[in-house]
Structure formats: structure tokens, C-alpha cells
Amino acid sequence: MRGVTATKMARHAVFSLFFYALPVLQMSPASILKDLTLLRREELAEKWDNLGFSIRPMNGHVRYTWSDGNWDSGVFVPAPYQLMHINAGALHYGVSAFEGMKAFACKDGKIRLLNPELNARRMQKGAEALLLLGTAMVSNNHDRAAPKGLGAVKAAGNYAADLAPVHQAHADGYNTTLYLDAKERKFIEEFSVCNFVGITKDGRYVTPKSDTILQSTTNIMLQQLAKDRGMIVEERPIDFEKEIGNFKEIGMCGTAAVVVKVNSISFGDKVYDFEDFDVISGLRSQLTGIQCGEEEDKHGWMKEVCDVVNDSIPEVFPVQTRSFAPDMVTAEAKGQVQRMGSQAMHGLERLLLEHVVANAEPGNPDSVLAAMDAFWNKTFQAQGAEKWNVRGLKIEEAVRDKVQAKASSGAPVRCLEMGTYCGYSALRIARNLPAGGKLLSVEKDELFAAIATKIIEFAGLDDKVKIWMGTVHSEIANITNRLEHEAADFVLVDHSKERYVPDLKLLEECGIVSKETAVVGDVEVYPGDERPPKVIEEEISRFFSDRAFGLATMDDPRFLTLTNQSNNCILRFTVFARCARELGEEDTRCKYQYYRAQTACPESQLEDWMEHRARGSCHLDVLPDRSTMHVRQ
Ligand SMILES: C[S@@+](CC[C@H](N)C(=O)[O-])C[C@H]1O[C@@H](n2cnc3c(N)ncnc32)[C@H](O)[C@@H]1O
């Protein structure tokens, strides 16, 4: 069942419950009522008198699932959408049925359904006619399409009309049905869902002409090939009884099967046999030869789209990525990287490196930054691109001020960054540094550090930038050495918020941060910070309140912030839930999505959702696609 809409008549509200597909067949009215009570009745009651006839958005629908020969007891899905496979029979062949049922809000405060058994029975009958159950109730008295109807349209309903007859034919030992015209029951229409093609004993290609059959594109091409061979092609009404005996070959043709031999056609007690298939088979071979590029395509039917994808390359990462970042592989092999952190790399950052290598000009930092921007832009569907450019400009402005201030002294400009990630801000800093300028960037994630190193190398800035794997504490000796025991001119604080103050204090103690140092960072608190965000924010502002240097603020949309955290949490968990449904929770890609959710969601929330998943009552995987599109990778 899907979709619950409400309409109202006079004082009595009327719900139309639309049941698509089968569930009502085995659904008791009691269960329908039970589910209705989930629709926040008290809210509805308020609006009851104002309901009109139009379709109204509701807070969800009830979904029943058929498995192992039974319907389950149904679950309430808090979304008006249902995820449907692209190959759903309901879309292609119109294999769906629906019911409309009335519900009344009565004066005694109860909601009642009007004779739901009648709806259930009608639904059952409809379903049997469509053979949705796989049990056959078949009649030979079916017309495929009405004269002046939709028979010539590739409408899903035309396929549905054929379901019961073709099942009857199968039950009676035939492969398919042949329809005669609905008006006179005299002229050949078509086979089940295929065009009729016949070769007469005198070698003519004959196929029915009628307003009620869908012209098969395969038939059109076979006709052309027959004409090319000098055959007479006739597209005209074919009187079954008068002409069927004149055919020596019969085929049924359609896009999927091309054309298939028909051995015999039974009509009442009479059986017409067709032994030959040489001519049609020859036409078929020629057409399939053209499709595969083995036969000349004289009519230009084949249109080139693109090269065949080399499926020996893994779906997520092309093999060559390894050669660009061997350190990553080593890092992974050492097993020192957090397990999920390592898998996180399979999501975006490796792709970023690959994108840079494929699209940017080696040795050109501007081109590398442009490639990185393009990658993030595409990944985040242009959301926030402006913001992270503004952030980059602020960083560069602060660096240029320092470069200018030191220009006359000839002393090198020394920069320090905490939190390299993929090296984007490192590039923006370093491209402003004159000869002799240095940037040391500290990154605790080994794989990010490796990727950033490769990106910096690719941009040709490795003489100015050094990336150190570790934390300020672990690398403090390297930091002071690299900066020649002088204070840094510029420090970008862009790692973990909870480390801002302790690390800056240590840097102060070691003389790396002085009152001359420009400290830039953002005060947004990212999820994953152990302490409550407010406490961290207060700690940071207290720290800077009595310092000579301030903290420039930035908001980077590539990373989670408090303001967008809850949205990201739900979207990320939705992507995980979908992934788990399709590939299973253990699939690396799903684990990665779970990791992403972990970085965005409170633990208690995740536990709650996981519990629902275990009970089968979590419906985040059915949210509409558009709401999760921008977090997909
Ligand atoms: C916001 S990102 C850095 C973004 C980068 N500066 C840029 O603009 O492209 C934060 C990075 O800090 C790293 N990080 C977190 N805590 C850290 C720590 N204590 N020491 C060093 N790096 C850390 C994370 O692994 C992550 O890559």
C-alpha cells in the first residue's frame, strides 16, 4: 500500500486510501484502522472541517511487504514517497492496481472505514486479473486494445492487458497469444507484446497494419532490410482465417528478442504449422550484425555514444591512483590509520587527488587549486563554493600582509598550519610566499597527509611546503627546527577545536606564536569534538581575549559545522541506510557512510536509529532521492 490522502465531504471527512499493488488482499480492516491511528489524529481533527477534495500531503503511509509467502504486519513510513526499482513492473507494464476507500470521522470521536471488505475483494479480483499473485485466472476472451484506444502507444497498460491471456496461454502449453482485432475478431493484430511478421509462400514480407498496434522499431528495420534484398514488403490488414495458410514463416518481433520463430498457431481446433524460418532468420542475422558492427550499417542506424568503459578498473578508484600516492598504500599497509578513517579515503580524498592529477597542470598551483575547487563544487553541487573561496581569500590576504611587511627585511616568511587535510589551504598560503618562504603543515591523519603531500608535489610547491604527519605535540621539535627557532609570521589553526587552545599555548611557550604572529582560524565547532561545543567556544574566546593576536573566523562548507550538523546527520544516516539495504551493512562503502554519519550524529541518535533498523521500523532509506543527492558520492 502506498500513499494516503485525505479529502472531506460536508461534516464527514473522507479519506481516500489508495492501495497500490496487492496488500489489501491479505490485509484485515482491523490492521488498516490500527495504522490509521498513526496519522496524528488529533492534528487532523482540527483541520477536519476544512479538508477539500484536492490531494493533501500526509505525514506518511503504511507499507506492507511480501516475503516468504506472507505479508508482514506493516509499518508506518513517515514519508510520502516509495523507493521503486527502475525495472518495477508497475512502471513498464502497468502491473499495478489501486483502491479508493472512504474513512469517516464520526461524532462519537471514532474513525470508521466504509465496508473495507468490498474494497479488499475488488482489489483481490483486480490483482488476480493482473496475475500479480502468480496464480492464474485466465480467460481467452480478451482484447489487447480497443479500436481508437491506446493500442498504438507504448503505454504500460497495453502490457498489463496481456498478462492474464498470456498466462492462460502458458497454462495451456503455448508460449504466447495472438490477438485478432477487437472490432471484427478477424484481422491479425499482434502477438502478446510483439509484432507479427510473416513470409508468404511466394516470398513477400507481410506485417499487419492497424491503428491499434504499436509499431515495433525492430519490425521497421527488418522491413527495410527485406526491401534492400528486393523483397516485396506489405504492411496491410491480414485476414487470419483467409490468409494464415499462405505463410511459410512466421516470426514475432520486438526490441529485446529481435525476432523469434513461431512454429505453430492454434485457433480453436485448428493448428497451423510453420516449418521454415530461413528468410526471417537471415534478416535477423543481418540486423544483429549491424548492431554489433559486423555488418555494414547502410542506413546509419547505429549512433556512437562513447567508448566502452574498461570494467577491469575498480568501480571506486582506478588502479593508477596507487602510483600517484604510494605513501597512502604504505600507510594503509602499516595499519596505523584508524580503520574507518582509512575507508573514508575511499570516499572523496583519493578521488580528489585523482581528479587533480587528471585535470590540473603539473607545476601550476593555480591550476591545481582550480581543479580542487571544481572537484568540491561538483561534489557539493556548488553549495558553499562561494564561502570556501571567501575563506581562502582571507587566508591569502593575511599571508600577503605578512609577506609585504617582511619584504624590505629580506627575512623569510614562516608559516605554520595545523590541519592540512588535502592541502588546499596549504596551496593558498604557499602560492603567496616569495622565494625562501616556508610553510609547515601538521596533519594527524596519515592518509590525508600523504594525499596532501602528493598534491603539493604535483603543484610544484614542495620546496616551500612540508607536511608533517602527527600533532603539534608529537611534532613540536620538528616545528621549531623547521621554523629555525623563530616565531611564525602566520599560523592557520584549522584542526580540532578542542586542540586550539592547548596547541596554541604550547606554541606560545615554544616561541612559535608571538604577539607578531597573525593567527587565523575558524571558530565553528565540528562534530567529533569531545567537549560540548559551547565550552570549547568559550575556551577559545577566553584564550584570545587577553592575547595580542585575534582569531579570524571562517566557515568552511566542506566540513560540518554546528549549524548544518543535524541536517548532515540525518542525510548521512539516510545514505548509510540505503547503502545497507542495497549492499549490506558490511560492505566497505556502507561502513564508510556509517562513519560519515558517526562524524555528524550524536551517538544516542545513531543508537536509536540502529535499533529501529534492527526492528525493521527505520525508514530513512525511503526518503526521496533529492534530499540526499548532495551528500552522495
Ligand atoms: C578542517 S580540516 C583542514 C582543512 C585544510 N586546512 C584546508 O583548508 O584544506 C581539519 C584537519 O585537521 C586534522 N586534524 C584534526 N585534529 C588534528 C590534530 N590534533 N593535529 C593535526 N591535525 C589534526 C584532520 O585530520 C583534518 O584533516
Side-chain angles (χ1 to χ4, degrees), residues 372 376 391 395 417-426 429 441-446 448-449 468-473 492-497 499-500 503 522 526 554 556 558-559:
M372 290 175 96
W376 294 122
R391 176 187 142 99
I395 293 171
E417 175 180 49
M418 289 177 262
T420 321
Y421 190 42
C422 296
Y424 181 82
S425 46
I429 296 167
S441 185
V442 184
E443 169 57 54
K444 76 166 187 196
D445 185 303
E446 201 166 349
F448 293 168
W468 257 313
M469 215 291 290
T471 63
V472 171
H473 273 77
L492 177 62
V493 199
D494 203 13
H495 57 333
S496 160
K497 298 293 171 297
R499 297 300 315 162
Y500 272 27
D503 287 352
D522 63 59
Y526 302 123
M554 302 171 297
D556 186 342
R558 290 168 302 166
F559 302 96

